[in-house]
């Protein structure tokens, strides 16, 4: 292995032997130390027979007291089974054409780098929504569930990484920038938590698969992660575990079964990275230590209705999240939903935690200790509330809303993340406020949608007191909710047009759900009646989403963050639905580009986010 200061390797500054073996699936890792800060380097591998790898480029971070601006992209959710990675091609195209100081320093991947659930084309000839399925992998020991397949051992997990790394756009992106990767759910299992998998509403132990997923991640993602087996760095050395039932949980919802603990601790992903004076990235793991998501419990179905697809009353979500701690330890024995009283199945269970006790303590400490101007929380799952106001629907349109007020969303539609983990989010945001931490921002993926807004633990009618800013990036290629609803929301449903609908002048379906989340049902109904977006916005329910300045549930692409000593700006680059690969060197057109800027605020001040659409049309999103 060689590291050079130039692309043609005339100035090689380091060489190393890099052992490879079957034990690491013929992958290898080399730790190159002693490099200079804020530099570009090139690297390549050559085997004993003189066969060479392609040349990779990497960049080192500025030193801790360096005040230069830092620019990076964050991405999530690429699905090579169902779509194309045009977003990376666009990112490369723009980076090649910009000035040296505006180039990206790295790409942060917030998970769903792979989708472990794979549809083989013949099992689903109708494709997925309007998309064709690609034949990217066959699992040698896979398990078929309904019409899709999942990996069952390390060979299968390795196979899916190899399949994804065949993608030419992803390959070029990985060769151009250092990637900072964190797993989300699909690197292990769709509805995975700790070392459990859930299919058909049933949890099943999967300790061996969790270890296999960690091993494949370790082999295919270059990162300095703590592994329980200790050095050396070039081999994972998986601990032996068995798939034993996990039946006992501690007071924070952590499964005490020994194999579960060994599996989830076999690889630690949470970590911090520093780029100069201005920016520290604190990355957390939202899957390995979390308690069970209450809205995935079968008992939670009692609070869902086909009359209001995806919606759940916010007061119900609040009670389910809080568990035994709700209302200062006095949770109600039953929960009202319409005219029914339903048993509170969470009454004797701990409040939801996504971080888990140990990681949360680490996270809060790092936040407090950080000396960087901007403390950016790389949270794979979104923290911005996603809500609607069905209580304002005119009578007669559909059945009465069974909730007491606002609606949130169930986990399958997009929430079930830090936006409905009210207790934990409140604890974190209170900590930020109480310690006078400024420059606090969260960035996330998972939701397959673009969001920009303010980080607050409560919304009206509760107090609305932002302590930071928050962003969510659209998916690289995985389908979003708008696309799913276009195909799957019942055609004759009275509420369909509030999610995907057409005004009088429209010739195609519009993403009305964006308007619904940002401004409420009255704005949607006005738009559907008049087709006038100004009139629609004039009827905005200002209490619904004072925290949101931009939302697009249908957008794909990537986000770019630029931090300086006095401001942070996030840019969303939205591309058309990436159904097929764009063959051009620009990755295809840009649908819209938006910029969201905040000046550094002082202790006690409230951050103010300024949103601008600088290119294209995103009228339903603001
Ligand atoms: Fe995803």
């Amino acid at each position: 292995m060689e590291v050079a200061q130039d692309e043609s390797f005339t100035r090689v500054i380091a060489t190393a032997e890099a052992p490879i073996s079957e034990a690491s699936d013929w992958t290898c890792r080399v730790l190159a130390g002693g490099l200079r800060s804020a530099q570009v380097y090139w690297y390549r591998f050559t085997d004993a027979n003189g066969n060479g790898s392609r040349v990779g480029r990497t960049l080192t971070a500025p030193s801790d007291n360096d005040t230069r601006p830092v620019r990076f992209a964050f991405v999530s959710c690429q699905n090579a089974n169902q779509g194309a990675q045009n977003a990376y091609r666009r990112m490369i195209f723009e980076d090649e054409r910009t000035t040296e100081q505006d180039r990206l320093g790295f790409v942060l991947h917030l998970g769903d780098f792979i989708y472990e659930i794979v549809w083989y084309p013949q099992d689903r000839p109708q494709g997925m929504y309007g998309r064709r399925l690609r034949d990217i992998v066959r699992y040698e020991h896979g398990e078929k569930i309904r019409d899709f397949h999942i990996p069952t051992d390390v060979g299968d997990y390795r196979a899916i990484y190899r399949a994804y790394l065949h993608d030419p756009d992803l390959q070029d992106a990985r060769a151009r920038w250092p990637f900072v990767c964190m797993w989300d759910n699909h690197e292990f299992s769709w509805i995975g938590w700790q070392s459990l998998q859930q299919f058909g509403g049933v949890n099943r132990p999967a300790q061996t698969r969790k270890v296999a997923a960690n091993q494949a991640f370790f082999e295919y993602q270059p990162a300095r992660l703590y592994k329980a087996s200790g050095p050396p760095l070039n081999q994972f050395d998986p601990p032996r575990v068995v798939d034993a039932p996990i039946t006992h949980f501690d007071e924070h919802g952590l499964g005490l079964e020994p194999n579960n603990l060994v599996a989830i601790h076999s690889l630690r992903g949470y970590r911090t990275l520093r780029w100069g004076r201005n920016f520290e990235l604190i990355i957390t793991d939202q899957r390995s230590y979390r308690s069970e998501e209450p809205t995935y419990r079968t008992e939670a179905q009692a609070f869902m209705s086909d009359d209001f697809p995806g919606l759940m009353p916010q007061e119900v979500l609040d009670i389910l999240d809080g568990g035994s701690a709700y209302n200062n330890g006095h949770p109600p024995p039953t929960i009202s939903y319409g005219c029914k009283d339903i048993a509170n199945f969470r009454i004797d269970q701990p409040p939801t935690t996504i971080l888990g006790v140990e990681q949360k303590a680490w996270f809060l400490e790092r936040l407090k200790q950080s000396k960087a101007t901007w403390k950016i929380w790389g949270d794979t799952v979104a923290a911005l509330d996603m809500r609607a106001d069905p209580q304002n629907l005119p009578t007669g349109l559909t059945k009465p809303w069974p909730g007491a007020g606002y609606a949130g969303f169930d986990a399958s539609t997009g929430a079930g993340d830090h936006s409905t983990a009210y207790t934990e989010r409140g604890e974190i945001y209170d900590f930020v406020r109480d310690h006078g931490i400024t420059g606090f921002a969260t960035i996330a993926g998972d939701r397959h949608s673009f969001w920009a807004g303010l980080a607050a633990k409560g919304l009206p009618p509760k107090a609305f007191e932002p302590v930071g800013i928050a962003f969510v990036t659209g998916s690289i290629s995985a389908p979003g909710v708008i696309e799913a609803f276009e195909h799957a929301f019942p055609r004759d449903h009275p509420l369909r047009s509030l999610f995907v609908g057409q005004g009088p002048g429209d010739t195609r379906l519009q993403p009305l759900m964006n308007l619904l989340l940002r401004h409420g049902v009255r704005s949607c109904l006005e738009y559907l009646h008049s087709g006038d977006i100004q009139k629609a916005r004039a009827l905005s329910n200002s209490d619904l989403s004072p925290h949101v300045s931009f939302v697009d549930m249908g957008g794909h692409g990537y986000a770019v963050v630029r931090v300086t000593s006095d401001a942070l700006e996030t840019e969303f680059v939205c591309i058309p639905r990436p159904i097929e690969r764009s063959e051009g060197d620009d990755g295809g057109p840009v649908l819209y580009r938006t910029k969201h800027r905040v000046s550094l605020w002082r202790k006690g001040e409230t951050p103010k986010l300024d949103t601008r659409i600088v290119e294209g049309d995103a009228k339903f999103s603001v």
Side-chain angles (χ1 to χ4, degrees):
M1 198 278 313
E2 295 163 281
V3 179
Q5 288 175 309
D6 62 316
E7 202 172 358
S8 49
F9 289 79
T10 54
R11 282 172 288 142
V12 173
I13 52 109
T15 59
E17 292 281 313
I20 54 165
S21 75
E22 198 180 354
S24 56
D25 203 26
W26 310 106
T27 63
C28 72
R29 42 176 71 222
V30 176
L31 188 59
L35 301 178
R36 287 195 296 157
S37 55
Q39 296 290 312
V40 180
Y41 291 100
W42 281 265
Y43 60 93
R44 68 182 176 193
F45 296 84
T46 313
D47 74 8
N49 301 319
N51 301 305
S53 69
R54 69 178 293 177
V55 171
R57 174 179 168 271
T58 195
L59 299 105
T60 50
S63 60
D64 285 4
N65 54 5
D66 191 324
T67 56
R68 81 181 72 199
V70 178
R71 202 164 178 269
F72 68 97
F74 69 97
V75 300
S76 72
C77 301
Q78 57 207 25
N79 192 322
N81 186 210
Q82 300 176 12
Q85 322 319 317
N86 296 331
Y88 286 125
R89 185 60 52 195
R90 163 57 56 178
M91 199 189 288
I92 294 165
F93 179 82
E94 297 203 355
D95 201 55
E96 281 174 347
R97 280 154 188 79
T98 194
T99 56
E100 183 102 28
Q101 80 256 26
D102 267 340
R103 288 197 179 144
L104 301 175
F106 66 100
V107 176
L108 171 64
H109 201 301
L110 290 168
D112 293 358
F113 188 96
I114 54 154
Y115 278 77
E116 95 297 359
I117 46 171
V118 175
W119 280 265
Y120 298 168
Q122 77 271 21
D123 291 333
R124 199 181 163 96
Q126 75 275 29
M128 182 61 71
Y129 310 131
R131 302 173 178 223
R132 71 181 172 88
L133 293 165
R134 283 93 164 145
D135 201 1
I136 58 163
V137 73
R138 297 294 165 119
Y139 291 130
E140 199 179 334
H141 302 114
E143 177 186 352
K144 188 171 183 187
I145 296 176
R146 301 199 291 271
D147 61 350
F148 58 86
H149 302 256
I150 59 167
T152 66
D153 62 10
V154 70
D156 289 342
Y157 278 105
R158 285 165 167 173
I160 188 72
Y161 277 97
R162 288 197 300 266
Y164 271 63
L165 291 171
H166 270 113
D167 184 277
D169 301 312
L170 176 58
Q171 272 183 10
D172 285 359
R174 292 250 292 201
R176 182 170 177 81
W177 298 288
F179 267 55
V180 175
C181 293
M182 184 56 206
W183 59 77
D184 196 34
N185 53 329
H186 284 288
E187 279 84 351
F188 163 50
S189 186
W190 178 15
I191 305 174
W193 58 287
Q194 300 179 31
S195 66
L196 289 143
Q197 294 185 318
Q198 195 193 98
F199 293 101
V202 179
N203 284 310
R204 43 155 138 156
Q207 288 91 335
T208 57
R209 295 178 188 187
K210 177 68 176 172
V211 171
N214 279 352
Q215 179 167 355
F217 183 93
F218 182 83
E219 288 166 352
Y220 284 91
Q221 300 290 25
R224 291 174 72 183
L225 302 181
Y226 175 83
K227 67 187 167 86
S229 63
L233 200 62
N234 60 333
Q235 226 168 275
F236 184 70
D237 301 317
R240 261 181 228 288
V241 289
V242 294
D243 297 328
I246 302 171
T247 50
H248 289 82
F249 294 85
D250 75 5
E251 71 273 24
H252 306 290
L254 180 69
L256 296 171
E257 195 285 317
N259 293 274
N260 179 52
L261 297 174
V262 169
I264 64 177
H265 291 125
S266 63
L267 187 63
R268 191 174 69 202
Y270 59 87
R271 59 201 192 272
T272 63
L273 293 122
R274 181 82 187 262
W275 277 264
R277 175 79 64 84
N278 291 325
F279 166 41
E280 181 155 17
L281 178 63
I282 310 175
I283 297 173
T284 53
D285 175 349
Q286 280 58 245
R287 304 293 176 179
S288 303
Y289 319 107
R290 67 158 299 152
S291 55
E292 184 170 27
E293 166 53 40
T295 65
Y296 275 136
R297 289 276 298 265
T298 44
E299 298 95 321
Q301 297 283 334
F303 303 104
M304 301 175 196
S305 155
D306 288 342
D307 296 327
F308 297 90
L311 298 181
M312 286 181 76
Q314 199 177 356
E315 73 279 7
V316 173
L317 290 167
D318 216 354
I319 295 167
L320 297 184
D321 169 67
S324 59
Y326 182 79
N327 188 30
N328 298 314
H330 298 94
T334 61
I335 307 172
S336 299
Y337 182 69
C339 46
K340 283 180 288 184
D341 280 328
I342 296 161
N344 179 4
F345 65 91
R346 291 272 295 145
I347 195 162
D348 54 2
Q349 293 166 3
T352 307
T353 175
I354 291 181
L355 296 178
V357 152
E358 207 178 303
Q359 179 181 215
K360 186 157 48 189
W362 169 89
F363 171 67
L364 295 177
E365 188 59 26
R366 293 311 301 230
L367 209 47
K368 191 172 78 180
Q369 297 295 337
S370 181
K371 302 273 187 291
T373 313
W374 298 95
K375 298 99 189 155
I376 302 190
W377 179 17
D379 180 3
T380 60
V381 301
L384 284 167
D385 288 81
M386 178 174 171
R387 66 177 194 171
D389 59 351
Q391 73 273 28
N392 293 335
L393 283 167
T395 47
L397 184 66
T398 187
K399 294 191 181 140
W401 166 239
Y406 287 103
F409 285 77
D410 66 39
S412 64
T413 311
D417 48 23
H418 265 121
S419 75
T420 49
Y422 302 106
T423 311
E424 179 163 291
R425 187 182 64 178
E427 189 185 338
I428 294 166
Y429 289 0
D430 282 352
F431 183 92
V432 170
R433 182 199 58 201
D434 295 347
H435 288 81
I437 297 168
T438 62
F440 172 68
T442 83
I443 56 177
D446 176 53
R447 220 184 247 180
H448 303 190
S449 47
F450 284 110
W451 293 70
L454 299 170
K457 71 168 183 177
L459 295 176
K462 293 181 179 169
F464 173 58
E465 293 161 349
V467 298
I469 50 172
F471 301 99
V472 186
T473 185
S475 72
I476 289 277
S477 52
V481 173
I482 297 276
E483 184 174 352
F485 280 176
E486 281 175 15
H487 291 85
F489 208 107
R491 306 259 150 197
D492 52 358
H493 197 288
L495 300 185
R496 178 178 157 94
S497 56
L498 298 180
F499 293 85
V500 283
Q502 276 174 265
D506 293 326
T507 52
R508 57 185 172 85
L509 285 176
Q510 302 289 352
L512 266 283
M513 187 181 184
N514 299 339
L515 204 56
L516 175 68
L517 297 173
R518 174 80 178 81
H519 296 290
V521 296
R522 293 188 183 119
S523 293
C524 286
L525 293 169
E526 173 58 36
Y527 182 82
L528 292 166
H529 171 73
S530 67
D532 186 330
I533 193 71
Q534 306 290 359
K535 273 186 170 172
R537 285 196 206 114
L539 293 177
S540 178
N541 172 2
S542 57
D543 275 357
L544 169 65
S545 294
H547 62 306
V548 176
S549 55
F550 186 91
V551 54
D552 180 9
M553 297 301 293
H556 300 277
Y558 59 95
V560 171
V561 179
R562 188 168 198 267
V563 294
T564 65
S565 53
D566 57 6
L568 179 151
E569 186 176 78
T570 297
E571 179 179 330
F572 293 153
V573 181
C574 179
I575 59 165
R577 200 170 284 174
I579 293 176
E580 293 298 338
R581 182 161 189 250
S582 174
E583 297 297 333
D585 65 356
D586 64 356
V590 168
L591 267 191
Y592 64 75
R593 186 188 307 269
T594 61
K595 290 191 176 181
H596 313 271
R597 189 179 190 281
V598 65
S599 295
L600 185 64
W601 59 96
R602 275 191 288 266
K603 201 171 150 174
E605 286 181 351
T606 302
K608 276 195 68 178
L609 195 62
D610 171 54
T611 282
R612 282 181 306 137
I613 299 172
V614 293
E615 184 182 341
D617 184 12
K619 68 180 177 189
F620 296 101
S621 296
V622 290

